[in-house]
Amino acid sequence: MTAVDDFLATVGDVLAQIWTAATTPAPPPTQTVVLAAGLAALAVVLVTPVWRVARHVVTIAHEGAHAVAAMVTGRRLDGIRLHSDTSGLTVSAGRPRGFGMIVTAFAGYVGPGLTGLGAAWLLRQGYAVGLLWLLVLLLALLLLKIRNWFGLWSILVSGAALVAVSWWLEPATQSAVAYAVTWFLLLGSVRPVLELQAQRTRGRARRSDADQLATLTHTTGILWVVIFLLVTVGCLVLGASWIMGPATA
């Protein structure tokens, strides 16, 4: 029993340290660091070879948003798949039409932007480290519904990177990473919407979220693309104002 007690005590100490770090507000970095983090995130989004790799993070947020929306609206979440081409699939069971299906289909493209907006709010309160640990927790919950090997690999790599930053790096570096991740979610939420419309223009993506929503609501796909764009750009503008403004901590 001594070994078990020691293990439980160690786990308790680790969790206590994580809780303390996550719930203790810290002063924001300098505006230079905040701007540098934003420019770095913008470069990742604009440079296509880098974007093709980083886009997996946006896909995780996209599919995670589908999953949350499905559960919140009473649908049964069966599983999530993440693919090497940065596409993904979230499968839920329930009525094929109606409010729950509409919300679930809508949540994907706006999910990364809304996640970034929530992250920006936490940064504004001074909880940069808390944001990183919250993202780790969300990835851990998402891991329970992953149904393919590449998806498992993507979640584990992302989670391990966040844990390494949150546990071993200095507070100033942790804060800089938190700001960079938030900028990336805000900026990176817009490009997939533009890519979606480009694919639709070329006659591809006939089963996209926008086209499914068009069928469900008896409207047009382009209407939903415009709505996606308005929401993601709105999240970017508001989130940027929170990030660049004075912290409330």
Side-chain angles (χ1 to χ4, degrees):
M1 288 297 295
T2 302
V4 174
D5 291 340
D6 289 343
F7 173 76
L8 293 176
T10 300
V11 171
D13 289 341
V14 169
L15 292 177
Q17 291 180 53
I18 291 174
W19 179 257
T20 299
T23 57
T24 302
T30 64
Q31 288 291 86
T32 300
V33 172
V34 175
L35 285 172
L39 290 174
L42 181 61
V44 170
V45 173
L46 294 180
V47 179
T48 298
V50 182
W51 168 247
R52 287 180 183 142
V53 177
R55 196 184 192 284
H56 288 291
V57 175
V58 177
T59 301
I60 291 172
H62 179 117
E63 300 303 329
H66 277 314
V68 171
M71 292 186 293
V72 167
T73 56
R75 298 178 63 80
R76 188 183 76 247
L77 180 62
D78 289 336
I80 301 170
R81 291 177 177 271
L82 304 171
H83 304 132
S84 59
D85 63 355
T86 73
S87 65
L89 177 65
T90 298
V91 178
S92 63
R95 292 181 58 197
R97 294 183 176 274
F99 178 75
M101 189 63 196
I102 292 172
V103 173
T104 300
F106 176 74
Y109 277 97
V110 301
L114 292 173
T115 303
L117 185 61
W121 183 85
L122 285 174
L123 293 180
R124 190 166 184 252
Q125 311 306 311
Y127 296 110
V129 178
L131 168 62
L132 295 176
W133 282 115
L134 177 60
L135 292 175
V136 171
L137 176 60
L138 292 175
L139 287 173
L141 294 175
L142 196 61
L143 190 64
L144 300 176
K145 289 296 182 178
I146 292 295
R147 294 295 182 265
N148 68 326
W149 286 111
F150 186 84
L152 178 66
W153 169 253
S154 296
I155 298 296
L156 289 177
V157 169
S158 300
L162 287 173
V163 169
V165 170
S166 305
W167 186 256
W168 282 294
L169 297 187
E170 295 297 320
T173 307
Q174 293 171 342
S175 182
V177 171
Y179 274 81
V181 170
T182 302
W183 274 119
F184 177 72
L185 288 170
L186 292 170
L187 292 164
S189 67
V190 179
R191 180 164 176 172
V193 179
L194 301 176
E195 292 175 340
L196 168 64
Q197 183 54 28
Q199 292 176 341
R200 295 182 71 253
T201 301
R202 294 193 293 267
R204 303 175 185 175
R206 296 182 182 278
R207 291 297 299 163
S208 70
D209 293 348
D211 293 288
Q212 290 184 49
L213 284 164
T215 300
L216 291 168
T217 59
H218 305 290
T219 56
T220 60
I222 186 61
L223 170 65
W224 290 101
V225 173
V226 171
I227 293 174
F228 292 159
L229 190 60
L230 289 174
V231 173
T232 53
V233 171
C235 287
L236 171 59
V237 172
L238 181 56
S241 71
W242 286 349
I243 291 174
M244 298 303 299
T248 61

